[in-house]
């Protein structure tokens, strides 16, 4: 393949530069061009040199960044895809374990998979790239050429809620109509994943609360309002406001905060750990907390990544939400930057929700 412009790092040392690269021999029956790529905490961790598990592909002294994208097909050697189609490439490529062989590399049993833009496979932040159509998800709704970039982060949400349905099926939630109406979902953190989890909790019928240790800006409150989500600044109002949690989803990765909210989870409740922050201070679990978990049948579960069907479900929900709440979905994307600049990686995420890079 010819030289293309790309945003690259040197993993795991870090850094980010825009440069021309030549990448040869990548398998693929379909040629893609990104329209937009998204930046998440994983990308920021890699360029800061804080993710020791990131590594360059074999034979390269760099790694093309990016695992969130919405792409357009440039040319296809397979039936079912044609130039101009919108698609989202998946992050993970399978290793050799049984889960990977079954298409469930999201549940890889030995860690021997690769992740685009993270571990040993070049990512999507480049002018064009070849991809195997097996790892490409169709986006049939042409109005998703921008918000479709949220498909990858949303597939994590779809998988977590599938695991939720497995765990919650062990008992009957005490609603007379066997729904989740009147049940309480709490989501810790107000970043993009926190919003996407909250949107899905609303879809399931939960009374939904987003929470952080500080107040949030009008933009965030406006999005919550459109989806019917409540917000609690728990630094001001923990004792009276935080109670009767049936589903707790953490996107902060902070052990002390997770344990504090877990105290407020009631019988048959489920706690999902999703956020990761290896630098967070330790949190100690008390004997009282152990009793609380045991006596109330509370489950704590971790969830990472998602399978192809979760990407497909994510496309359907992004489409639904984009049509029902166009302003809120557009407002989730707070920053759009040109592909020529690596500044957005360095800037952090303090003011914005989701930063995307335009390749158009
Ligand atoms: P993000 O935009 O950094 O959101 C994290 C949120 O947590 C921010 O709103 C933080 O607030 C908030 N937060 C931090 N500490 C606390 C605390 N003590 N109490 C309450 N809120 C707190 O990241 P994201 O939304 O893109 O992703 C969320 C997390 O999921 C990250 O840790 C990712 O590494 C992880 N992740 C996991 C997977 C997977 O398992 C996939 C993608 C991301 P503030 O400090 O910004 O105000 O598959
Ligand atoms: C991606 C996941 C990936 C994880 C690895 C996340 O940002 O959404 O698909 O498995 O990073 O840490
Ligand atoms: Zn990510
Ligand atoms: Zn595997």
């Amino acid at each position: 393949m010819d030289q293309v412009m790309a945003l690259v790092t040197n993993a795991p040392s870090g850094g980010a530069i825009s440069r021309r690269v030549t990448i040869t021999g990548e398998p693929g029956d379909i040629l893609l061009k990104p329209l937009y790529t998204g930046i998440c905490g994983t990308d920021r961790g890699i360029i800061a040199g804080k993710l020791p598990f990131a590594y360059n592909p074999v034979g390269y002294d760099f790694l093309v960044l990016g695992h969130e994208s919405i792409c357009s097909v440039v040319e296809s050697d397979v039936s079912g895809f044609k130039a101009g189609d919108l698609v989202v490439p998946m992050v993970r490529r399978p290793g050799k374990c049984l889960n990977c062989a079954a298409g469930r590399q999201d549940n890889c049993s030995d860690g021997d998979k690769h992740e685009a833009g993270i571990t040993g496979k070049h990512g999507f932040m480049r002018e064009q790239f070849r991809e195997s159509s097996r790892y490409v998800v169709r986006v049939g709704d042409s109005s998703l050429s921008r918000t479709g970039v949220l498909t990858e982060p949303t597939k994590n949400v779809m998988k977590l809620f599938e695991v939720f349905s497995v765990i919650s099926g062990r008992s009957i939630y005490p609603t007379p109509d066997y729904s989740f109406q009147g049940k309480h979902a709490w989501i810790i953190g107000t970043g993009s994943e926190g919003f996407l989890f909250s949107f899905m909790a609303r879809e399931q019928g939960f009374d939904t609360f987003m929470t952080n240790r500080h107040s949030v800006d009008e933009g965030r409150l406006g999005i919550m309002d459109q989806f019917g989500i409540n917000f609690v600044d728990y630094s001001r109002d923990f004792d009276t406001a935080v109670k009767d949690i049936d589903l707790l989803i953490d996107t902060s990765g902070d052990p002390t905060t997770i344990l504090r909210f877990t105290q407020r989870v009631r019988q048959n409740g489920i706690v999902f750990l999703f956020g990761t922050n290896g630098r967070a201070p330790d949190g100690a679990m008390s004997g009282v907390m152990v009793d609380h978990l045991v006596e109330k049948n509370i489950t704590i579960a971790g969830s990472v990544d998602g399978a192809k069907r979760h990407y497909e479900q994510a496309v359907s929900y992004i489409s639904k939400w984009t049509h029902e709440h166009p302003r809120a979905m557009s407002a989730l994307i707070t920053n759009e930057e040109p592909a020529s600049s690596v500044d957005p990686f360095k800037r952090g995420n303090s003011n914005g929700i989701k930063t995307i890079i335009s390749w158009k």
Side-chain angles (χ1 to χ4, degrees), residues 39-42 44 67-68 92 115 152-153 155-156 187-195 197 211-216 220 234 250-254 256-258 261 273-277 302-306 349-350 352-354:
I39 299 180
C40 85
T42 305
R44 291 200 181 84
H67 57 277
E68 299 182 0
R92 289 197 180 188
E115 293 182 311
E152 192 280 334
K155 64 90 168 71
N156 302 322
I187 288 84
I188 305 173
T190 48
S192 53
E193 293 284 1
F195 273 100
F197 280 120
T211 188
N212 207 320
R213 62 210 181 294
H214 51 63
S215 59
V216 293
R220 281 174 166 84
Y234 71 83
D250 175 69
T251 72
S252 77
D254 182 60
T256 307
T257 307
I258 294 164
F261 276 80
L273 307 186
F274 179 82
T276 50
N277 179 2
S303 185
V304 68
D305 196 57
N349 201 27
S350 50
I353 303 174
K354 173 60 72 185

Side-chain angles (χ1 to χ4, degrees), residues 6-10 15-17 37-38 42-44 46-47 62-68 116-118 121-126 342 345 359:
L7 297 176
V8 309
T9 188
N10 180 14
I17 54 167
T37 53
T42 305
D43 303 303
R44 291 200 181 84
I46 293 171
I47 74 120
F62 64 88
L63 169 73
V64 177
L65 288 158
H67 57 277
E68 299 182 0
I118 307 173
K121 174 176 164 53
H122 289 304
F124 310 137
M125 292 191 181
R126 42 182 158 153
V342 291
F345 288 102
W359 295 83

Side-chain angles (χ1 to χ4, degrees), residues 107-128:
N107 288 339
C108 178
S109 350
D110 59 12
D112 183 30
K113 36 67 181 148
H114 296 289
E115 293 182 311
I118 307 173
T119 49
K121 174 176 164 53
H122 289 304
F124 310 137
M125 292 191 181
R126 42 182 158 153
E127 285 172 313
Q128 54 179 39

